[in-house]
Amino acid sequence: MKIATVVGARPQFIKMAPVSQEFERKGIDEVVIHTGQHYDYDMNRIFFEQLKIREPDYYLGVGSGTHGYQTGEMLKRIEEVLIKENPDVVLVYGDTNSTLAGALATVKLHIKVAHVEAGLRSFDKRMPEEVNRILTDHVSDYLFAPTKTAVRNLHSEGIREGVYLTGDVMYDALLYNIKVARETSDILNRIGLKSKTYLLATVHRAENTDFKKNLESIVDAFIESEETVVFPIHPRTKKYLGYYGLTKKIEKAENIMLIDPVGYLDMLVLEENAKKILTDSGGVQKEAYFLKVPCITLRKRTEWVETVEDEWNILVGADKEKIIKAIREFKPSGETYSYKFGDGKASKRIVKTLIESGGKIT
Ligand code: UD1
Ligand code: UDP
């Protein structure tokens, strides 16, 4: 059986790492196609180096642009590779434009699509990720769902064939890498901070960056919290802070430690040692839960509902007062139940399912 994997954005490199390693262990032929959606060293190559992911066989170099441009260019270029390689199954991950382009190019060539992280829904179609998820799920042959909620979401849209509850590959990645991170990362020394003395923040979702009011409100909340906030800044957010004339304000704030995006191992250590995490990232919300760090989510909705139901995650949107209140007061009282995201063997289950079906699911 021949597999092709389409990736392109930071979280996808992390998600593919345990699955690709399992393909290698099982001697399965995998062709890796990198769309080039993320291309800066610290959004891209650092993950291949740290996680020892094999080099992409094809680097399509699509880069940045509007949704239509980016998705369209990817579609054209992925199609060319798939025609040449003729794989049995194409694996796509998550909910980015690279995911949708990979799925569309594949289904139109009558090749089987496998979606890892199928069935997630925020029920907000203004989020580009939600559109990507829905469309990808509806053309997929294998739907690898990370949680029971994801399976239920698929059922409620009439998708029952090819749905497998596997657990979450990001949980696999974390369980493996947290030990390596604790042993090797010196990030706390590098930034001169002690464990549990700071908040960690990440912001990059369009709903926050693309509206000055929202981004400014978030920045003001960080500043007015008077807590030390470590803020590895996504290039999208850096760009918008510049557009809105907010760069100086944030650079001048003594309690904000603005740093470049960090590698996965440093990120895990920053997360585990934070007092609280503020984020609009999907992956970071889950990692906070796995590491038992209270999470304040800068969104109104989340697809990772388990983290909210178990009261380790609170949704505050971009509302300054709500953010500050949560920074001061939010305190989970109960337990976390990471088993809701599997047992760390999602990748093995995915590869086993593909091998056993021989890529011939109907
Ligand atoms: C994308 C995904 C989002 C995911 C995020 C992970 C879509 C629609 N969005 O958002 O779901 O959560 O990745 O991080 O697919 N840029 C650089 N260097 C890079 C990459 C991007 O400077 O290496 C800048 C460019 O100005 C670009 C902007 O960031 O226009 C946005 O990049 P893009 O890939 O379009 O979307 P993300 O915001 O990264
Ligand atoms: N991440 C990282 N360095 C950073 C910020 C995030 O390694 O500076 C990791 C984070 O630990 C998680 C993943 O990137 O595993 C999440 O990706 P991102 O927030 O870009 O996208 P999302 O999950 O929202 O799609």
Side-chain angles (χ1 to χ4, degrees):
M1 182 173 44
K2 183 173 182 178
I3 301 281
T5 294
V6 177
V7 288
R10 172 168 69 185
Q12 291 165 335
F13 310 139
I14 295 162
K15 290 169 197 181
M16 76 172 275
V19 182
S20 280
Q21 270 153 20
E22 186 62 15
F23 281 137
E24 219 167 291
R25 261 197 293 274
K26 296 287 183 193
I28 302 285
D29 188 10
E30 183 191 20
V31 176
V32 176
I33 305 167
H34 186 318
T35 63
Q37 179 169 354
H38 286 175
Y39 43 85
D40 291 347
Y41 174 79
D42 50 19
M43 295 295 289
N44 172 31
R45 275 223 63 82
I46 191 168
F47 297 96
F48 284 81
E49 290 169 10
Q50 282 195 345
L51 299 174
K52 303 194 171 51
I53 308 169
R54 37 173 309 220
E55 284 297 309
D57 299 281
Y58 295 88
Y59 183 78
L60 306 183
V62 172
S64 307
T66 62
H67 288 280
Y69 167 83
Q70 197 180 45
T71 313
E73 280 300 311
M74 287 175 187
L75 187 58
K76 265 164 43 187
R77 298 183 202 186
I78 295 168
E79 182 181 66
E80 278 170 27
V81 176
L82 294 182
I83 288 170
K84 185 165 154 221
E85 291 288 343
N86 194 25
D88 298 294
V89 180
V90 176
L91 240 77
V92 295
Y93 290 85
D95 53 17
T96 72
N97 288 346
S98 298
T99 316
L100 176 62
L104 269 182
T106 306
V107 69
K108 283 178 178 280
L109 291 170
H110 303 149
I111 300 169
K112 303 289 179 202
V113 182
H115 185 201
V116 178
E117 223 177 63
L120 276 295
R121 296 291 181 269
S122 66
F123 302 99
D124 177 3
K125 282 199 193 138
R126 285 184 57 84
M127 294 176 67
E129 293 81 10
E130 184 75 351
V131 175
N132 292 341
R133 289 179 200 124
I134 295 172
L135 295 177
T136 301
D137 283 342
H138 281 261
V139 298
S140 289
D141 300 280
Y142 296 85
L143 298 106
F144 295 123
T147 59
K148 284 185 182 164
T149 311
V151 172
R152 274 197 301 275
N153 289 338
L154 292 169
H155 287 178
S156 74
E157 290 174 24
I159 305 175
R160 288 180 177 270
E161 293 295 305
V163 176
Y164 301 87
L165 176 61
T166 56
D168 183 13
V169 291
M170 285 192 96
Y171 187 44
D172 297 13
L174 179 135
L175 286 181
Y176 178 77
N177 285 291
I178 188 72
K179 295 180 208 132
V180 184
R182 285 179 191 137
E183 280 163 20
T184 59
S185 166
D186 62 350
I187 183 77
L188 292 185
N189 280 341
R190 288 200 330 264
I191 62 174
L193 289 177
K194 292 211 158 47
S195 180
K196 303 293 170 185
T197 62
Y198 63 90
L199 309 176
L200 175 68
T202 80
V203 179
H204 71 275
R205 288 303 175 97
E207 67 215 76
N208 288 325
T209 59
D210 296 14
F211 301 91
K212 182 176 183 200
K213 188 170 148 280
N214 289 350
L215 195 55
E216 188 159 27
S217 165
I218 290 170
V219 167
D220 285 343
F222 291 177
I223 295 172
E224 289 173 35
S225 75
E226 294 177 4
E227 296 272 356
T228 300
V229 181
V230 178
F231 190 3
I233 191 141
H234 191 287
R236 176 191 198 98
T237 314
K238 191 174 183 176
K239 182 171 82 177
Y240 278 94
L241 285 172
Y243 283 164
Y244 302 148
L246 295 171
T247 309
K248 276 222 176 72
K249 182 177 187 173
I250 196 161
E251 280 176 356
K252 261 188 12 211
E254 280 176 13
N255 66 323
I256 312 287
M257 191 178 275
L258 212 53
I259 59 175
D260 287 332
V262 295
Y264 182 55
L265 300 177
D266 285 345
M267 187 64 182
L268 290 180
V269 167
L270 282 176
E271 287 173 344
E272 190 172 38
N273 290 284
K275 281 201 287 193
K276 288 180 185 171
I277 292 176
L278 295 132
T279 193
D280 58 10
S281 156
V284 175
Q285 287 175 65
K286 281 185 287 176
E287 287 162 355
Y289 184 82
F290 301 150
L291 296 169
K292 297 186 199 303
V293 179
C295 185
I296 300 166
T297 293
L298 309 166
R299 284 166 45 180
K300 290 192 178 132
R301 291 163 188 267
T302 183
E303 54 285 5
W304 301 108
V305 291
E306 295 78 4
T307 61
V308 176
E309 283 161 7
D310 294 339
E311 297 179 7
W312 278 80
N313 187 5
I314 182 170
L315 303 175
V316 294
D319 183 313
K320 186 177 87 171
E321 301 309 327
K322 283 193 188 163
I323 299 170
I324 294 175
K325 189 168 186 300
I327 289 175
R328 302 223 168 107
E329 296 173 12
F330 177 56
K331 198 166 178 275
S333 49
E335 281 300 304
T336 58
Y337 304 97
S338 292
Y339 66 80
K340 293 180 180 178
F341 296 84
D343 55 2
K345 293 187 181 135
S347 324
K348 284 194 191 315
R349 242 168 244 124
I350 289 167
V351 172
K352 188 163 178 269
T353 304
L354 290 168
I355 293 174
E356 284 176 359
S357 71
K360 301 265 182 303
I361 196 168
T362 47

